[in-house]
Amino acid sequence: MLDMFSFMIFGSVEAMNNAAHVLEVIDATLDKLDGIEHADMIDKDGKAISLQNADIAFRDVTFSYDTVPVLRNISFSIPQSSTTAIIGPSGSGKTTICNLIARFYDVDSGEVTVGGENVRNMTCDSLLRNISMVFQKVYLFHDTVENNIRFGNPNATQKEIIEAAKKAQCHDFITALPDGYETVIGEGGSTMSGGG
């Protein structure tokens, strides 16, 4: 089975600052997709495709929000199992790139491929089961660090939680907290400091 591809955007030092914002993002995404009807429309011409790899490629992609151009003739590739940081000032298209990979929007021209398949040829399910997005604004609940991490997978073992924290390069920071993974953090991360 293909490992889930994770794609991270680094845009601010406050990356751990906000996971209910994710709920807002989901609501906004559903609004953008016009709910189930848009997903059904995507699936109408899409095929359930089983990917052999998770390489991502943009080929001569141009995209505009209404009449405002955001990306012009962008081409790049991201090999599976690599770490890629997309950096740039606010409004430079970092989030738009992620939205196009997940097909929250369709390109004006060019193509976006995952595993060599044009995302326009895939059903929502066959595309999104291969993508995991970490948004810039992540909300932290008033709970332990461990339970905040477990939010993404309620059945995760402690070993899996620690492994996820290590992959996110947070393990050392967490173990330095007064109660480590059992440290209770304030709503929205209010008891945490982003550093200075």
Side-chain angles (χ1 to χ4, degrees):
M1 182 173 162
L2 183 64
D3 287 337
M4 184 174 283
F5 178 84
S6 71
F7 185 80
M8 296 190 295
I9 292 181
F10 298 95
S12 75
V13 179
E14 301 171 4
M16 253 184 91
N17 185 13
N18 291 324
H21 176 71
V22 170
L23 298 176
E24 291 173 22
V25 171
I26 291 169
D27 285 342
T29 299
L30 289 175
D31 288 344
K32 289 174 189 172
L33 292 175
D34 289 329
I36 302 300
E37 288 122 23
H38 187 76
D40 286 344
M41 188 174 69
I42 290 172
D43 285 351
K44 180 178 150 190
D45 296 322
K47 296 181 180 82
I49 296 173
S50 180
L51 299 177
Q52 301 305 309
N53 65 65
D55 297 341
I56 292 175
F58 273 51
R59 294 190 182 98
D60 206 26
V61 169
T62 296
F63 176 78
S64 302
Y65 290 104
D66 294 322
T67 59
V68 180
V70 179
L71 303 174
R72 289 186 190 101
N73 305 316
I74 301 294
S75 296
F76 63 87
S77 16
I78 304 171
Q80 175 178 311
S81 302
S82 66
T83 300
T84 300
I86 298 177
I87 58 174
S90 181
S92 63
K94 300 182 302 289
T95 301
T96 299
I97 287 170
C98 275
N99 288 338
L100 292 173
I101 293 168
R103 203 178 170 205
F104 295 158
Y105 297 101
D106 280 329
V107 300
D108 296 336
S109 63
E111 69 174 359
V112 177
T113 63
V114 176
E117 297 286 344
N118 189 319
V119 296
R120 287 182 149 180
N121 298 333
M122 303 171 72
T123 61
C124 278
D125 185 56
S126 64
L127 172 61
L128 297 179
R129 85 167 64 114
N130 292 289
I131 296 173
S132 174
M133 299 177 90
V134 179
F135 294 93
Q136 278 180 266
K137 293 183 180 178
V138 179
Y139 190 87
L140 297 175
F141 297 101
H142 180 72
D143 204 339
T144 64
V145 172
E146 180 174 329
N147 284 338
N148 270 274
I149 296 171
R150 185 176 275 121
F151 179 78
N153 178 2
N155 299 317
T157 65
Q158 188 173 37
K159 182 179 178 182
E160 290 170 327
I161 288 168
I162 291 170
E163 186 60 30
K166 286 180 178 177
K167 286 181 178 178
Q169 299 181 357
C170 298
H171 178 72
D172 292 343
F173 167 77
I174 294 168
T175 54
L177 294 171
D179 296 312
Y181 283 85
E182 293 303 314
T183 301
V184 175
I185 52 182
E187 183 118 4
S190 61
T191 59
M192 310 289 280
S193 169

